[in-house]
Amino acid sequence: VAIHRGNDPFNYAPASTLESLINLQGYPTGMLNRKTEWTYPETSNIAQAVNLTSGINPRVGLAMNTTLSGNTATVNVNVKFGQNFSNLKLVVYALQDNLVYNQTNSTSYYGGVNPIVNFDFDDVLRSFLTLSILGDGISGSTNLNDTYTRSFTYTIPSNYVVANMHYVAFVIDANGNALNARNAGNNVTQ
């Protein structure tokens, strides 16, 4: 998820709540699992991201079904539990791809050119669909073989390109660790 802040046409002011949670010191910053700063240069530290995916299978299934009617998206999220859990949260975001704008560049990437003209931004956070950007508590029983279902409706603003929208859902534990994540475009059945 790419969160833009500051003097940028994709600025997402509600991100301040998430910034406070993770004690974000500034942009750009690559974060893994919303808690760990990805060591620069990120492309040389892929193992740092891969290592977060190793370990015991968290045993949480996640699927999304999305439908689009005009500029109204319905996102149905299904979570199935493969063991007993407590204190889980569900987070659902609406993202947009193919947003073009100049990108400030303070690195040697792209030949060190600054700015990078007409940079193509993907996975840009446009809205959170849960009540909080930090997620909502999963209610009801979260024991072995239980299923949690939740439906969200999102009215896509008229100045967004509907075809470039997609949705990400993730389940996090009480420590804020992501147990599973899923991405779905428009009119997808998983």
Side-chain angles (χ1 to χ4, degrees), residues 23-173:
N23 193 29
L24 188 68
Q25 299 301 307
Y27 286 87
T29 301
M31 299 296 290
L32 301 170
N33 208 4
R34 300 194 313 170
K35 300 185 318 181
T36 303
E37 187 168 342
W38 198 354
T39 304
Y40 178 84
E42 293 85 351
T43 55
S44 298
N45 293 293
I46 298 299
Q48 189 181 4
V50 172
N51 290 340
L52 288 175
T53 67
S54 62
I56 298 171
N57 181 338
R59 304 195 53 83
V60 174
L62 185 59
M64 293 192 297
N65 300 314
T66 63
T67 56
L68 183 64
S69 177
N71 69 332
T72 301
T74 302
V75 180
N76 296 307
V77 180
N78 298 297
V79 183
K80 185 156 184 172
F81 307 101
Q83 65 185 45
N84 296 344
F85 286 96
S86 61
N87 300 316
L88 299 179
K89 285 186 176 181
L90 174 66
V91 183
V92 181
Y93 293 158
L95 308 178
Q96 188 175 12
D97 291 341
N98 302 317
L99 295 169
V100 177
Y101 190 71
N102 293 345
Q103 170 64 50
T104 301
N105 183 15
S106 57
T107 72
S108 60
Y109 295 122
Y110 299 91
V113 173
N114 183 35
I116 304 168
V117 176
N118 294 325
F119 191 82
D120 183 7
F121 295 95
D122 290 328
D123 305 309
V124 175
L125 179 61
R126 299 307 248 165
S127 184
F128 56 89
L129 305 186
T130 43
L131 297 175
S132 167
I133 194 170
L134 304 178
D136 300 342
I138 293 179
S139 60
S141 181
T142 56
N143 294 322
L144 176 65
N145 292 324
D146 287 336
T147 301
Y148 174 78
T149 301
R150 184 133 173 234
S151 183
F152 303 88
T153 301
Y154 175 58
T155 302
I156 301 168
S158 61
N159 61 326
Y160 292 7
V161 177
V162 172
N164 294 343
M165 299 301 297
H166 60 110
Y167 310 90
V168 63
F170 50 104
V171 175
I172 57 175
D173 66 16

